[in-house]
Amino acid sequence: AGPKADGAAKKPALARLLKSADANADQKLDLAEIHAKMPNFPAERFTALDKNQDGFLDASEVPTPPKTE
């Protein structure tokens, strides 16, 4: 599997991370909060996901897992 499959595998983890790693309960994550739970999370991926370049990932920037029925 190539990079696409790898990215897809990380989406659910990031959605869960938004709920579990938000140490200050501000509904967004900075890189330090992510690294506290996922030390190997690449800073480049954080930057790519941070669409508005404010230094935080909020719910609109964190990929969500596909809904299953």
Side-chain angles (χ1 to χ4, degrees):
K4 229 176 194 179
D6 184 53
K10 289 182 186 204
K11 288 182 183 182
L14 282 174
R16 286 191 307 270
L17 192 63
L18 182 57
K19 294 179 182 178
S20 68
D22 187 11
N24 60 1
D26 63 356
Q27 303 298 306
K28 55 190 177 182
L29 298 174
D30 60 29
L31 189 56
E33 287 174 318
I34 292 175
H35 279 166
K37 295 280 185 177
M38 298 175 66
N40 295 324
F41 190 86
E44 299 82 22
R45 179 146 169 81
F46 179 90
T47 301
L49 290 169
D50 184 14
K51 301 293 184 208
N52 62 3
Q53 299 298 299
D54 65 352
F56 299 96
L57 298 182
D58 61 35
S60 71
E61 296 168 317
V62 174
T64 56
K67 292 182 180 177
T68 55
E69 294 187 40

